[in-house]
Amino acid sequence: DSAYVLQGVTGWMFGWEKNGWKTQAKEDVLNQDLWKELLAISYRLKSVLTVRWEKVAGHAGVFGNERVDVIATAYADHEKPLLFVGALSQYEQIIGGDIFSLVETTPSKKKSSNKNKGPAYSYVSFVDGKIHTDKTWAICEKRVKGKKGVKFKKVFSKQEEDELTKEWLG
């Protein structure tokens, strides 16, 4: 969900590499160690896959992006999150959907008209068979962070919260 990283990985880092890891202003590139590692990963991926980099909205309920945020936060907090090892298709089978879809097992029949507009009404999570609603992402994140098989989503109205709760409880 970072335009900076997207621009860096799709263009800037190749120029930085050619210029000895200097910016156009002839200054050292910040976080060179991370960019160099990302460049090496990018080259390895390109040798076996077609990679399409795409910006997604942050904290908007896109499963893969929400999961990446949990993982990145864990590493920033010097924690080791539980990571899946295997094929993407196996992971999507476990989570019950596409990593690029919104966090829900089946699409809601009726989408709220307030969807993705304004501040969050709440953050809904499904952990160990129980629904929780939190008013802040920080509280919700603590509940879901590093746990396997959880679902979580930002909602924008009481109606959306109720629909999601009903859907997840079946």
Side-chain angles (χ1 to χ4, degrees), residues 120-163:
Y121 176 79
S122 69
Y123 297 84
V124 182
S125 61
F126 188 68
V127 181
D128 298 326
K130 295 178 185 168
I131 295 284
H132 302 274
T133 57
D134 298 296
K135 290 298 177 189
T136 69
W137 168 243
I139 295 169
C140 180
E141 182 181 28
K142 285 179 185 176
R143 184 184 323 282
V144 302
K145 189 176 185 179
K147 294 202 177 166
K148 199 172 184 179
V150 300
K151 299 181 211 176
F152 50 93
K153 184 175 180 185
K154 177 180 179 180
V155 295
F156 298 88
S157 69
K158 175 68 173 150
Q159 177 186 352
E160 190 177 358
E161 181 183 272
D162 292 343
E163 288 173 0

Side-chain angles (χ1 to χ4, degrees), residues 68-80:
V68 165
D69 188 66
V70 169
I71 293 167
T73 301
Y75 278 111
D77 293 340
H78 305 288
E79 297 171 4
K80 293 194 176 194

Side-chain angles (χ1 to χ4, degrees), residues 14 20 23 31-32 38 59-60 64 76 78-79 90 93 113 134 144-145 150-152 154 166:
F14 303 103
T23 65
N31 301 308
Q32 278 184 46
L38 189 54
H59 303 292
H78 305 288
E79 297 171 4
Q90 292 172 317
Q93 201 170 33
S113 60
D134 298 296
V144 302
K145 189 176 185 179
V150 300
K151 299 181 211 176
F152 50 93
K154 177 180 179 180
K166 184 178 176 183

